[in-house]
Amino acid sequence: PPPGSAIFLIGTSQQRQLSTIRSRCQIVRFDALKPDQVAMLIQRQGWTDDQRQAQGIAALSAGSMHFAKTLCDEGFRAFRSELL
């Protein structure tokens, strides 16, 4: 990369990165999002307009927007409901 560049690598496991990459990186850990933050983002993304539904999905999401998006999928919700 050109001088003065910053590259952000986002991963789920430090051990899954090559040692030559890990040795040149600074690790920054992020906490999971709070349920109220997830609910707000769900609505902002337009995945649901129902505030109660957004809060319920956020509570199940474990702070993960990826999982929250999956939980917003109507087909997934129907499957989950039938399974439970």
Side-chain angles (χ1 to χ4, degrees):
S5 296
I7 298 174
F8 293 86
L9 301 174
I10 299 174
T12 57
S13 170
Q14 185 177 338
Q15 288 69 35
R16 295 184 79 185
Q17 308 307 316
L18 294 172
S19 61
T20 54
I21 292 173
R22 282 195 322 257
S23 68
R24 293 166 174 80
C25 291
Q26 177 181 353
I27 306 298
V28 178
R29 299 193 188 285
F30 295 95
D31 291 332
L33 296 171
K34 293 180 174 67
D36 60 328
Q37 294 170 319
V38 174
M40 179 196 62
L41 291 169
I42 287 170
Q43 289 184 283
R44 190 178 288 173
Q45 291 294 323
W47 298 341
T48 184
D49 292 330
D50 184 332
Q51 185 176 6
R52 250 176 102 158
Q53 185 180 45
Q55 289 171 339
I57 290 169
L60 295 172
S61 73
S64 166
M65 286 303 293
H66 178 74
F67 191 43
K69 185 175 183 180
T70 300
L71 291 168
C72 286
D73 179 73
E74 192 66 40
F76 182 83
R77 281 202 318 265
F79 172 76
R80 183 178 183 276
S81 177
E82 188 175 322
L83 183 66
L84 295 175

